[in-house]
Amino acid sequence: MYIKKQRLLTAGPTPLLPQALRAMMGSDIYHRTEDFRALYREVLGGLREVFGAKNDVLCLVASGTGGMEAAVANFFRAGDEVVVCSAGKFGERWVELARAFGLAPVVLDAPYGEVVSPERVAEALKAHPGARGVMIQAAETSTGAEFDVRAIAEVVRTTPAILLVDAITGLGTMPLDIDGWGLDVVVGGSQKAFMIPPGLAFVSVSEKAWEHAATATLPKLYFDLNRERISAAAGESTWTASTSLVLALAEALRYIRELGMDNLVANAQALAAATRSATKALGLELFAPTCPCAAVTAIRAPKGVDSSAIVRDFREQFGSIIANGQGAMKGKIFRIAHLGYFDFPDLFAVIAQLEVILASRGLPVEFGAGVAAVQRAVLNSRLSAVGK
Ligand SMILES: *Cc1c(COP(=O)(O)O)cnc(C)c1O
């Protein structure tokens, strides 16, 4: 027998920042007090800082999908046309939400592993000049693909439509210039690059989006963003705050501020690049080779192997929890995460385990080939870090 430690290595929930986890022990507090208002103000200010936006950034008690629902419920009228880009499970979630709220989605599909191009968005907006919104993912976590957010924003900017970006795994893994590019509504989630448990959603709102909100008619109560904006100005949440998560978030935001948001992004990108070289060195195939995101790397299971078996081997042999494919991709791909509190040693461990697992399944593996690719990436990133 040998010991196996549980390692949470999925793209959400992600590994927790230890000081954030410890801060949660202090949650025997009441949220309608000056002390808590001071903390909540600090957190809202910190969120705005890491979003890098002058826009309002609001905090909701919900998983990320609650933030997406708020984005749909607050800015539209029943029957409004919206252009929805869908290239994976989370794009499909935008479509479901749009339908659930009585919008008329014009769906632009792309095969899993690809993304919808800015040109297609431009054509759709030309064909539907009355469209009031465009929905995209920054990173489509289910396939490991990244949208060209900047170019799509440029297309949407000159139209009456607002751009809704599910950046739940995009924040902290890719540059997103919310004000500069004109990203109207940007949704984030606590359990991704923010390094804390699930339960908070973050939503930034531009002036253009607030103008839409003024004429919106869809039903909302819990997720009424205007009400939340008024509460936030008073240092409060509209409903009971998730005190434990706010305490955790304060610590995480302090950590991210110290590190620098740019460096958090650079870290994810360095790990993602290293994961891709390891994938290549092991003769495996990326699932989204043309537009890989930095939040998670989706890898095709080798021929004749079910990815569920690889995921199970990780768990049973080593205690490591990695993600399978979702929906139709289950069994076909497995996903290695690198957003938030991940470092190179995490990646050494994952790739070394993967080599053992492939070999134990009788696949030809040159031990160390994948790990060496990560080692070379570390060396390169060290060299470039010296210059800073
Ligand atoms: C995690 C995630 C979500 C939100 O999912 P929840 O389970 O509601 O937190 C939405 N979009 C993307 C791209 C995600 O990665």
Side-chain angles (χ1 to χ4, degrees):
M1 265 320 284
Y2 53 89
I3 291 177
K4 46 179 191 178
K5 297 185 190 178
Q6 184 184 290
R7 286 185 175 79
L8 178 63
L9 300 166
T10 51
T14 58
L16 301 175
L17 186 72
Q19 54 269 44
L21 192 56
R22 285 194 292 271
M24 295 177 77
M25 300 287 286
S27 49
D28 51 342
I29 46 175
Y30 183 55
H31 59 291
R32 305 295 182 202
T33 58
E34 251 338 291
D35 283 351
F36 191 77
R37 278 190 280 272
L39 178 72
Y40 200 67
R41 280 203 174 91
E42 178 193 330
V43 161
L44 292 176
L47 278 174
R48 187 178 290 198
E49 211 176 294
V50 303
F51 270 60
K54 285 200 286 295
N55 292 336
D56 293 295
V57 182
L58 303 170
C59 180
L60 306 172
V61 180
S63 78
T65 306
M68 295 170 75
E69 174 154 332
V72 171
N74 278 268
F75 304 107
F76 302 107
R77 303 168 302 213
D80 271 352
E81 265 187 333
V82 289
V83 173
V84 187
C85 299
S86 175
K89 296 311 287 176
F90 294 106
E92 288 158 20
R93 193 161 301 174
W94 274 137
V95 177
E96 273 183 87
L97 278 164
R99 295 212 169 107
F101 279 83
L103 300 178
V106 175
V107 180
L108 306 182
D109 273 315
Y112 289 168
E114 295 175 24
V115 291
V116 178
S117 70
E119 292 74 25
R120 286 184 63 201
V121 175
E123 277 165 30
L125 285 172
K126 243 183 227 134
H128 302 271
R132 302 253 302 158
V134 174
M135 281 94 137
I136 61 170
Q137 267 60 47
E140 174 50 84
T141 323
S142 68
T143 66
E146 179 174 305
F147 277 75
D148 189 344
V149 179
R150 182 181 197 161
I152 292 174
E154 222 168 283
V155 167
V156 178
R157 212 173 175 148
T158 55
T159 73
I162 53 171
L163 179 60
L164 276 53
V165 185
D166 164 5
I168 292 172
T169 53
L171 282 161
T173 66
M174 58 195 277
L176 290 168
D177 183 356
I178 293 177
D179 299 327
W181 299 352
L183 312 182
D184 295 300
V185 180
V186 176
V187 183
S190 57
Q191 82 275 31
K192 307 291 170 92
F194 289 90
M195 319 172 183
I196 65 172
L200 295 178
F202 315 122
V203 185
S204 79
V205 184
S206 72
E207 271 315 309
K208 186 177 174 186
W210 283 125
E211 281 164 26
H212 275 232
T215 59
T217 59
L218 295 178
K220 59 196 168 287
L221 179 77
Y222 188 75
F223 290 138
D224 185 333
L225 293 180
N226 198 43
R227 214 162 149 171
E228 203 60 52
R229 167 154 80 158
I230 293 165
S231 305
E236 298 215 354
S237 54
T238 305
W239 318 108
T240 303
S242 175
T243 48
S244 55
L245 289 173
V246 171
L247 286 162
L249 182 58
E251 283 301 328
L253 290 171
R254 279 174 210 144
Y255 178 80
I256 295 170
R257 190 182 304 129
E258 241 167 70
L259 185 70
M261 190 62 166
D262 291 353
N263 288 324
L264 182 65
V265 169
N267 182 73
Q269 298 205 333
L271 293 175
T275 306
R276 292 193 295 270
S277 353
T279 305
K280 196 170 162 209
L282 290 172
L284 298 174
E285 247 183 276
L286 296 173
F287 187 65
T290 55
C291 48
C293 72
V296 65
T297 299
I299 301 171
R300 285 183 195 277
K303 271 200 179 48
V305 181
D306 190 307
S307 70
S308 309
I310 294 176
V311 171
R312 193 175 56 237
D313 287 351
F314 265 100
R315 190 182 62 242
E316 288 181 357
Q317 285 191 40
F318 299 110
S320 291
I321 316 295
I322 67 155
N324 202 331
Q326 292 167 266
M329 292 165 281
K330 189 166 181 192
K332 304 211 165 73
I333 62 173
F334 57 98
R335 293 174 297 149
I336 296 177
H338 22 66
L339 73 170
Y341 199 54
F342 277 92
D343 64 6
F344 275 112
D346 288 328
L347 196 53
F348 289 141
V350 172
I351 301 298
Q353 290 171 69
L354 178 60
E355 290 180 359
V356 173
I357 288 165
L358 295 175
S360 72
R361 294 199 157 267
L363 292 149
V365 177
E366 187 198 327
F367 274 141
V371 175
V374 180
Q375 289 169 316
R376 274 191 291 274
V378 175
L379 209 55
N380 290 336
S381 77
R382 276 256 173 77
L383 289 176
S384 63
V386 172
K388 281 204 173 161

